[in-house]
Amino acid sequence: MATEPRPEPPTARPPAGRPPTVRPPDRRPPAGGPSGARRIRVRRLTARTRGMFQGLGSALTTPSTPGAPLLADASSRWVRLLPYAVAFACVAALLPSSIVLFIGDYGVNGALAGALGTAQTLPLLLAVARPLQAWWIVFAADVLGALVLLGADGTRADYWPWPPPVLIGYCVLMVALGLRESRRALFGVWLATGVAGYVLEAFRPDGYTSIHTLLLVLSGVLLLLTSAVRARGDAQRRLVEQETISEAERARRTLLEERARIARELHDVVAHHMSVITVQADSAPYRIPELPDAAREEFTSIAASARESLAEMRRLLSVLRSDGGEGERAPQPGLDRVQQLVEATVRAGVPAELRLAADLGDVPQAVDLSAYRIVQEALANVVRHAPGASTRVSVRAEDGWLTVLVVNGPATEPGSAVERGAAGTGHGLVGMRERVRLTGGSLDTGPLPDGGFRVAARLPLAPDPVPSADPVPSADPARSTAHAGPAPATTPEDPE
């Protein structure tokens, strides 16, 4: 039956006088297409490979715990499994080749060849965790194999006393030994290898090529290189431990020095009041003629106790001043000299401004000295760690508290080469905390979101000051959450 052809759908034709528009094909790969995914996979694979090699290098220079497998301390699971993979590959390659070589080239019995090949290669798996024990087995099997080869009648035997598979397996074992054992054990292994080789050389059959010297040289080189890698790892580990101990000792020494300094300054504060008590108690009978005899005896006892306390303090101070520091006998500074600190900071290239309340009231001498030292330490840290940073110093008294605030912005000038290489130890903050603890106040320090730093101290002006709802002042409302910001590039720490 004839069918009528279907009519083709009409196609849109451009208007008369206008050429048809031809759009070029879009050859750009879609976003997230195959090429983009491929690039992401390549980057991940590259990063993973780089991390694995870095972990391998770190693990090779880190000695494992005795009895633990080689590279057991590596962070990557693939690096920890690498020694097992290498040992298994060596056994899989050397075991059949050893058996075939013993049977085909040396004419050894099949069962004996299998036993020798197994004893010479299978202990490489044990060498991952206990290389010295594996060496004893392999060494005995190699010497026994050389004795067996004396009675063999192979026609294509070439090397004596170590066949090539034995040579390769022994070199792999030397790597495991060098990464784990002590130098004395490595020297004993190398010496035993040389003695056994030269003794067996005396029994070398005619037509065999001696390779015991080659094995002696290769084993010595491998032991030397791997032991050097291990020694480097030991040295780095001991250096890190020593640096940790030194840092702890440095912090402890700084704390003790600051406490001794505070004790000397506290003596100067207390000695003044004790001297006044002594003078008043001694002069009371002369200033008040009508005192009864009991009151005179009481004043005499008070004066004697005060003099005894002063003598005890002087004896203790002589121990603290055993370094012969005469500068400590000078009058101790206070808040009246804060202006001089700010001016010295400005001369050092740091723009600083001071806001000092006109009437601070009666400031105890210990609080006066502690506030001065805190400002001194904070400004020294700004000069050292944030050169050129704008700095504000504020000292005010409110509700029985003396508030000291030092705020600096980010550094505007590059620091010196020494400062760029040192991150700061924070020992200066230790002294601040000790002084605040001495007076019963509070200290708050931390970085600011803009890259600056903030030191805020609140010291009591009276034995029982009025509690404050905001124990730690902020530089301004915008910086009231300074501790939530990231750590700045240069944070002031302790000036050395």
Side-chain angles (χ1 to χ4, degrees), residues 153-226:
D153 55 354
T155 58
R156 292 179 295 174
D158 293 327
Y159 301 107
W160 174 267
W162 321 117
V166 172
L167 181 68
I168 297 174
Y170 203 84
C171 289
V172 174
L173 185 58
M174 293 299 102
V175 174
L177 276 170
L179 292 175
R180 172 60 61 82
E181 302 301 330
S182 63
R183 291 185 177 180
R184 180 178 299 179
L186 298 182
F187 180 75
V189 167
W190 182 76
L191 188 61
T193 303
V195 170
Y198 281 104
V199 170
L200 292 174
E201 173 66 16
F203 303 94
R204 176 166 59 95
D206 296 336
Y208 280 56
T209 302
S210 176
I211 60 171
H212 71 278
T213 303
L214 176 62
L215 178 61
L216 184 64
V217 173
L218 288 178
S219 61
V221 171
L222 291 175
L223 291 176
L224 183 62
L225 291 178
T226 51

Side-chain angles (χ1 to χ4, degrees), residues 433-448:
R433 294 190 181 96
E434 285 296 312
R435 293 185 178 278
V436 170
R437 187 183 307 169
L438 170 69
T439 58
S442 60
L443 178 70
D444 183 30
T445 62
L448 298 177

Side-chain angles (χ1 to χ4, degrees), residues 333-358:
L335 291 175
D336 56 341
R337 295 176 58 181
V338 171
Q339 180 68 32
Q340 301 177 12
L341 289 178
V342 176
E343 293 174 355
T345 305
V346 173
R347 289 194 297 271
V350 175
E353 63 179 39
L354 172 65
R355 296 180 182 178
L356 181 62

Side-chain angles (χ1 to χ4, degrees), residues 258-301:
E258 189 64 27
R259 286 183 176 178
R261 184 179 179 184
I262 293 174
R264 290 192 294 264
E265 295 171 351
L266 185 62
H267 165 269
D268 296 338
V269 175
V270 177
H272 168 72
H273 299 288
M274 295 296 295
S275 301
V276 172
I277 294 173
T278 304
V279 172
Q280 288 180 341
D282 283 334
S283 61
Y286 302 98
R287 292 183 289 103
I288 310 175
E290 63 275 8
L291 278 177
D293 293 339
R296 292 176 182 271
E297 293 179 359
E298 189 68 23
F299 277 116
T300 302
S301 177

Side-chain angles (χ1 to χ4, degrees), residues 14-21:
R18 181 180 300 177
T21 304

Side-chain angles (χ1 to χ4, degrees), residues 236-380:
Q236 290 180 343
R237 179 174 51 85
R238 288 193 296 267
L239 181 60
V240 171
E241 293 176 355
Q242 188 62 38
E243 288 178 351
T244 304
I245 296 174
S246 300
E247 182 64 25
E249 290 294 330
R250 193 180 301 114
R252 180 175 176 272
R253 185 175 64 250
T254 302
L255 179 61
L256 294 178
E257 290 175 355
E258 189 64 27
R259 286 183 176 178
R261 184 179 179 184
I262 293 174
R264 290 192 294 264
E265 295 171 351
L266 185 62
H267 165 269
D268 296 338
V269 175
V270 177
H272 168 72
H273 299 288
M274 295 296 295
S275 301
V276 172
I277 294 173
T278 304
V279 172
Q280 288 180 341
D282 283 334
S283 61
Y286 302 98
R287 292 183 289 103
I288 310 175
E290 63 275 8
L291 278 177
D293 293 339
R296 292 176 182 271
E297 293 179 359
E298 189 68 23
F299 277 116
T300 302
S301 177
I302 292 174
S305 298
R307 278 192 292 269
E308 183 178 356
S309 299
L310 280 175
E312 290 291 338
M313 290 185 64
R314 290 192 180 97
R315 281 194 290 269
L316 291 176
L317 188 63
S318 64
V319 176
L320 296 176
R321 285 176 171 169
S322 59
D323 55 353
E326 296 294 333
E328 296 295 339
R329 298 182 180 180
Q332 297 298 330
L335 291 175
D336 56 341
R337 295 176 58 181
V338 171
Q339 180 68 32
Q340 301 177 12
L341 289 178
V342 176
E343 293 174 355
T345 305
V346 173
R347 289 194 297 271
V350 175
E353 63 179 39
L354 172 65
R355 296 180 182 178
L356 181 62
D359 185 14
L360 295 176
D362 187 14
V363 181
Q365 192 170 356
V367 174
D368 191 30
L369 177 60
S370 297
Y372 174 85
R373 294 299 188 192
I374 290 173
V375 174
Q376 183 185 38
E377 196 76 37
L379 291 179

